[in-house]
Amino acid sequence: MDPYKYRPSSAYNAPFMTTNAGAPVYNNESALTVGPRGPILLEDYHLVEKIANFTRERMPERIVHARGASAKGFFEVTHDVSNLTCADFLRAPGVQTPVIVRFSTVIHERGSPETIRDPRGFAVKFYTREGNFDIVGNNFPVFFIRDGIQFPDVIHAFKPNPKSHIQEYWRVLDFLSFHPESMLTFAWLFDDVGVPQDYRHMEGFGVHTFTLVNKAGKVTFVKFHWKPTCGVKSMLEEEAIRVGGTNHSHATQDLYESIASGNYPEWKLYIQTLDPADEDKFDFDILDTTQIWPEDLIPLHPVGRLVLNRNIDNFFAENEQLAMNPAHTVPGIHYSDDKMLQARLFAYSDTHRYRIGVNYLQLPVNAPKCAHHNNHYDGCMNFTHRDEEIDYFPSRYDTVRHAEKFPIPAKIIHGKRERCTIPKEDNFTQAGVRYRSWAPDRQDRFVKRWVDVLADHRVTHEIRSIWISYLSQADKSLGQKVASRLNVRPNI
C-alpha cells in the first residue's frame, strides 16, 4: 500500500462526516446522552475529539510578527551574478525559483489593525534545488539595537505594559535612551514610511550583512534590498485612523484581492556588495545593524524580480504555520559576524520548535521541495514515512554519502573572549543625513511625532533631555525645533 496515497488532504474528503480516525458519524449535531435530556456520556469519542481539537485550533502566537499575510509566486534572475556566488538558484538570468512571502507587523497581536505605526516584516522563502533559502527582513534597512542579547529587552519595551496591557512610548523612550544607536531607526519609524499604505507599496530589506561565496571561494559582503515596482506609498495619521477604523485587515485584503484580480505585486531585488578588505575604509562598522551602507558609496546592483501570482490555499497552514529562518542558507550564501544575525541563527529555530513543534520542517509549507535526507528522527507529530533500517551515519549498509564540498568563508578569527560594544560607533550622522533629505513638510511631521511621544507625562525631564540631546546631535535644528515645541532648553 502506498502510504502517501491516503495521507490527510481535503482532496480525499469523504462525502459524509467521520471521526478523526475515519469512522462514519451519523449525527454530528447531537451529543451522546443518557436519554434525550440526560447527562453526556464520556464514551462519546467524536464529541471529545471534536471539542479537544477545537480548543487546540490556535497554536501559541508568534512573540513578534504575529499579525501577517502570505502569498506565493516566483523569483526570476534577471542579471548575471555568477561571478559573486555559486548559489544554484542564481546561476543564470532566466532561472525561476518558487517562493512564498510573508508580510507582517512586528509588535502587536494577531488581530491588531494593520494601520499601526510599527515596522513591517518582509520575509521571503526560496524553494531552491539546494534547499530552502530565507531572507527574513523588514521594511526598514536598520534596527534599534546592534547586539542580539538586547533583543528581548527592546521587544519588551515596545510591547504593551505588562500591568495595563497598553503600549506606552515612555517605556520605549526609557529603554532606548540607553541606546543612542537607535536614532537612525527612529528616522524610519517616525517618518511617513512608518505606516505603509499596504504591503504591495513597501520596500523590503535583509537588514543584516550576509556573505556571497563564488566557486573559487572568494567572499563578498552583501545586503539585500527589495524595491516595489509600483512605488513606495504610506499613510499619514488621519488616513490611518480612517482606514483602521473601518477595516483592521486592509493590507491583507489588498494583497489577496490584488492577486485574485491578476494585479500581481512585483519587487526588484537589488544587492549592495563590498569586498571584506575594504570594510575599514568606512567611518562606521559595516556589520552594524543600526547603520545603512550609503548608496552613493556602495551602489545598488539589480539581481532579479519577485512576482506574487498565487494566493495561499489555507491561511492557517501557509501563514500561521509558515516558519522563516535566517539560518536557512544555501551553498554560495553564508552568514557574517553581524552580532544581531548571529543571535537570530539560534532564536528562530528554537521559537519554531516551541510554537509549531519539533517537526515543523515536515509541514508542506516549510519542507524543502528538493530531495533531502537526514537522521532527525521521531519526535512529537512526526509524519514522515520511513522504511529504512539505518538511522545513523556513516554506515556500510547505506549508500548515503557526504555532499560535494562547497566553499564557505575561510577567514581566520582570533581574539579574546569578552562582552563589549563594537569599537566603531557613529550613532547620529546617518540619522541627520536622512532628516535633512526630506522636504520641510515631511520634517515637520517627524518633529510633531517626536513632540507627541516626549510630551507624555510619564517621560521624565531626564529622559526628555537625553532625547533632545540625541536629536540635536543628529541635526542641531531638529533638536531645537523639538525643544522649542516642548518649551524646554536643548542641552547638547
Side-chain angles (χ1 to χ4, degrees):
M1 183 183 74
D2 179 2
Y4 294 106
K5 182 177 179 181
Y6 299 100
R7 61 184 169 183
S9 169
S10 58
Y12 301 110
N13 279 355
F16 46 81
M17 297 301 296
T18 72
T19 67
N20 282 356
V25 173
Y26 68 85
N27 186 342
N28 190 41
E29 298 174 289
S30 301
L32 188 65
T33 59
V34 179
R37 300 182 66 238
I40 291 175
L41 294 174
L42 187 61
E43 70 181 56
D44 189 344
Y45 167 80
H46 181 56
L47 167 69
V48 172
E49 286 291 291
K50 188 174 181 179
I51 297 299
N53 275 270
F54 172 73
T55 57
R56 291 164 174 80
E57 280 183 1
R58 296 296 176 262
M59 68 175 67
E61 188 175 277
R62 289 173 171 89
I63 300 298
V64 287
H65 300 277
R67 171 61 136 136
S70 303
K72 295 182 283 191
F74 65 89
F75 173 78
E76 180 181 13
V77 179
T78 57
H79 292 72
D80 187 5
V81 292
S82 59
N83 63 313
L84 296 172
T85 176
C86 59
D88 176 75
F89 80 102
L90 297 174
R91 64 189 178 274
V95 173
Q96 290 190 358
T97 301
V99 300
I100 186 168
V101 179
R102 187 174 189 270
F103 307 100
S104 56
T105 59
V106 173
I107 294 298
H108 295 278
E109 295 91 341
R110 197 152 45 196
S112 58
E114 293 176 307
T115 50
I116 291 177
R117 183 169 299 277
D118 195 18
R120 301 303 195 266
F122 193 121
V124 183
K125 184 183 293 292
F126 300 77
Y127 298 106
T128 88
R129 302 193 305 184
E130 296 181 313
N132 292 352
F133 170 51
D134 296 353
I135 300 179
V136 188
N138 288 334
N139 68 323
F140 302 161
V142 286
F143 198 62
F144 296 96
I145 54 173
R146 56 170 66 105
D147 194 312
I149 200 171
Q150 301 158 359
F151 188 78
D153 298 292
V154 70
I155 295 302
H156 285 171
F158 271 93
K159 284 283 191 179
N161 185 321
K163 184 174 183 178
S164 65
H165 200 67
I166 299 171
Q167 187 186 33
E168 298 170 321
Y169 260 91
W170 64 265
R171 291 162 36 84
V172 176
L173 298 178
D174 174 33
F175 173 72
L176 290 175
S177 69
F178 294 94
H179 295 281
E181 66 269 25
S182 64
M183 195 68 248
L184 181 57
T185 308
F186 272 119
W188 287 78
L189 179 65
F190 284 177
D191 180 27
D192 293 348
V193 296
V195 185
Q197 177 175 294
D198 48 57
Y199 296 133
R200 292 185 299 123
H201 291 89
M202 73 180 197
E203 295 177 286
F205 300 91
V207 182
H208 299 290
T209 301
F210 284 82
T211 53
L212 300 178
V213 190
N214 67 14
K215 292 179 180 178
K218 178 175 173 52
V219 175
T220 304
F221 286 135
V222 64
K223 279 184 177 284
F224 299 104
H225 301 252
W226 299 105
K227 305 288 185 183
T229 58
C230 57
V232 176
K233 297 182 180 179
S234 306
M235 286 194 287
L236 299 184
E237 281 77 357
E238 297 77 10
E239 184 181 5
I241 292 171
R242 177 182 60 80
V243 172
T246 57
N247 183 0
H248 77 295
S249 301
H250 82 283
T252 297
Q253 181 177 347
D254 173 83
L255 179 68
Y256 188 91
E257 292 180 350
S258 295
I259 294 173
S261 66
N263 180 23
Y264 302 140
E266 182 173 334
W267 287 261
K268 303 293 187 185
L269 176 63
Y270 293 86
I271 58 174
Q272 287 177 292
T273 58
L274 179 68
D275 189 323
D278 295 331
E279 64 173 300
D280 292 330
K281 295 180 179 179
F282 298 90
D283 295 333
F284 60 93
D285 189 325
I286 60 100
L287 300 184
D288 184 354
T289 51
T290 70
Q291 302 281 294
I292 63 167
W293 292 3
E295 294 177 15
D296 58 337
L297 301 177
I298 309 174
L300 296 173
H301 298 286
V303 176
R305 68 188 187 113
L306 169 70
V307 179
L308 299 181
N309 58 4
R310 290 178 56 203
N311 279 310
I312 55 177
D313 300 307
N314 179 273
F315 188 84
F316 183 80
E318 295 181 292
N319 183 77
E320 295 304 290
Q321 293 192 137
L322 176 58
M324 299 286 189
N325 191 337
H328 292 166
T329 58
V330 292
I333 302 176
H334 201 73
Y335 321 120
S336 75
D337 293 337
D338 172 345
K339 294 170 76 171
M340 276 290 293
L341 174 60
Q342 290 286 322
R344 294 178 78 196
L345 300 181
F346 166 77
Y348 278 68
S349 298
D350 192 50
T351 192
H352 297 328
R353 283 188 286 266
Y354 161 71
R355 194 177 69 86
I356 309 173
V358 66
N359 286 306
Y360 72 95
L361 284 173
Q362 292 182 16
L363 294 170
V365 72
N366 298 322
K369 302 302 178 261
C370 60
H372 56 285
H373 179 91
N374 58 56
N375 290 324
H376 300 170
Y377 264 71
D378 302 338
C380 183
M381 298 300 291
N382 176 17
F383 57 91
T384 295
H385 170 72
R386 299 194 180 212
D387 59 5
E388 60 264 84
E389 294 182 289
I390 307 302
D391 57 357
Y392 49 85
F393 180 92
S395 169
R396 302 187 193 281
Y397 295 93
D398 193 344
T399 59
V400 174
R401 63 188 188 281
H402 288 116
E404 292 185 15
K405 187 176 181 179
F406 56 86
I408 60 174
K411 179 181 177 182
I412 298 174
I413 302 172
H414 57 84
K416 64 180 181 180
R417 290 184 177 93
E418 55 187 328
R419 296 181 185 270
C420 59
T421 58
I422 61 174
K424 193 159 52 173
E425 291 186 272
D426 183 353
N427 298 324
F428 306 109
T429 299
Q430 291 189 1
V433 170
R434 178 169 172 80
Y435 171 76
R436 288 187 292 275
S437 72
W438 298 332
D441 61 329
R442 189 169 175 178
Q443 291 182 349
D444 287 344
R445 290 191 291 271
F446 183 70
V447 168
K448 182 181 184 303
R449 291 166 190 138
W450 270 108
V451 170
D452 287 345
V453 295
L454 289 172
D456 189 320
H457 73 281
R458 293 293 300 271
V459 176
T460 66
H461 175 74
E462 178 188 14
I463 293 174
R464 190 175 293 119
S465 297
I466 289 171
W467 280 107
I468 291 174
S469 170
Y470 291 167
L471 292 164
S472 299
Q473 291 178 74
D475 182 90
K476 187 175 181 180
S477 67
L478 170 60
Q480 289 174 335
K481 288 177 182 176
V482 173
S484 175
R485 297 194 191 185
L486 291 169
N487 197 27
V488 299
R489 178 177 299 178
N491 180 22
I492 301 175

